[in-house]
Amino acid sequence: MASENHIYKMSNAGGFKSLNRYYDMLAGNTTWNPWSPTGAYDALATVTVGGTNVSTIDFVGIPTGYKHLQLRYNQRTNTGGVINTTMTFNGDTAANYSWHGLYGDGTSALALGAASSSNVFTGVASSTATTFSVGVIDILDYANTNKFKTVRTLCGADWNGSGYSVMYSGNWRSTNAVTSISFAFANAATQYTTYALFGVK
């Protein structure tokens, strides 16, 4: 009945009375569309540092219509040591943020935080040449005007045998929808540092 080049769909209403022939496995499928899943990510914007070091990276005009936001980064700075990066929303640099974090370096752990801060910590930056730290930041319910905004971050950095794994969580004590995000570096971010913003449906 079948040939090598076709896919068949048979109806069992009263027996195999009809047969449809398709050239594609998904043709004629009206109940499942794998390309429109719930929870999909849409790429909204990407910033990559060029040949000139920068002290901030900004995302403005963030659209509504998504459930959450996610940022993914790799970054490097021009100085040594543990260099923290921070984030603010909508240009708000008042003490409207709270956060806490946990560092681990393989031999010891450190907990820290702030109940009232002018920003949220979002990661550490590598300072070893050609070695970049990485991180994922989730901003939950960013457009919901009935709650404060919650942030969580997983990140890590390696310095050729030493480094950190870090977890942060925090909030922005505002019910305003997030329309812009600014990242600040304790020291300048170097070439090829990249931040990518995604909307989560």
Side-chain angles (χ1 to χ4, degrees):
M1 180 187 299
S3 81
E4 294 181 359
N5 300 319
H6 302 103
I7 299 165
Y8 293 89
K9 178 181 178 182
M10 294 178 286
S11 170
N12 63 358
F16 293 120
K17 290 185 175 181
S18 63
L19 181 146
N20 294 323
R21 184 171 63 187
Y22 299 109
Y23 291 90
D24 189 293
M25 179 67 78
L26 298 177
N29 192 330
T30 60
T31 61
W32 179 65
N33 182 355
W35 307 116
S36 298
T38 300
Y41 291 74
D42 286 346
L44 302 180
T46 300
V47 176
T48 299
V49 177
T52 302
N53 296 347
V54 301
S55 58
T56 61
I57 288 177
D58 302 304
F59 293 91
V60 299
I62 297 172
T64 58
Y66 293 95
K67 180 66 175 175
H68 312 297
L69 297 175
Q70 184 175 96
L71 290 121
R72 306 171 192 175
Y73 68 75
N74 63 78
Q75 60 187 11
R76 195 178 80 82
T77 64
N78 61 349
T79 59
V82 180
I83 308 301
N84 290 297
T85 56
T86 60
M87 176 172 62
T88 55
F89 299 118
N90 296 12
D92 183 4
T93 57
N96 294 321
Y97 304 85
S98 303
W99 63 269
H100 61 274
L102 179 65
Y103 287 73
D105 63 4
T107 58
S108 60
L110 172 67
L112 67 167
S116 184
S117 176
S118 59
N119 51 47
V120 174
F121 276 33
T122 56
V124 294
S126 173
S127 60
T128 302
T130 70
T131 301
F132 289 74
S133 62
V134 295
V136 177
I137 303 167
D138 291 309
I139 304 168
L140 307 180
D141 295 315
Y142 77 104
N144 191 318
T145 56
N146 296 308
K147 60 172 65 174
F148 293 163
K149 308 305 176 288
T150 300
V151 178
R152 62 188 180 195
T153 303
L154 296 175
C155 58
D158 182 81
W159 290 278
N160 192 26
S162 64
Y164 285 91
S165 293
V166 187
M167 296 181 291
Y168 286 112
S169 64
N171 65 63
W172 178 40
R173 297 191 299 275
S174 173
T175 57
N176 293 332
V178 174
T179 58
S180 66
I181 304 170
S182 181
F183 293 92
F185 303 91
N187 290 281
T190 62
Q191 188 176 22
Y192 307 122
T193 291
T194 300
Y195 274 69
L197 175 66
F198 296 85
V200 185
K201 294 181 179 177

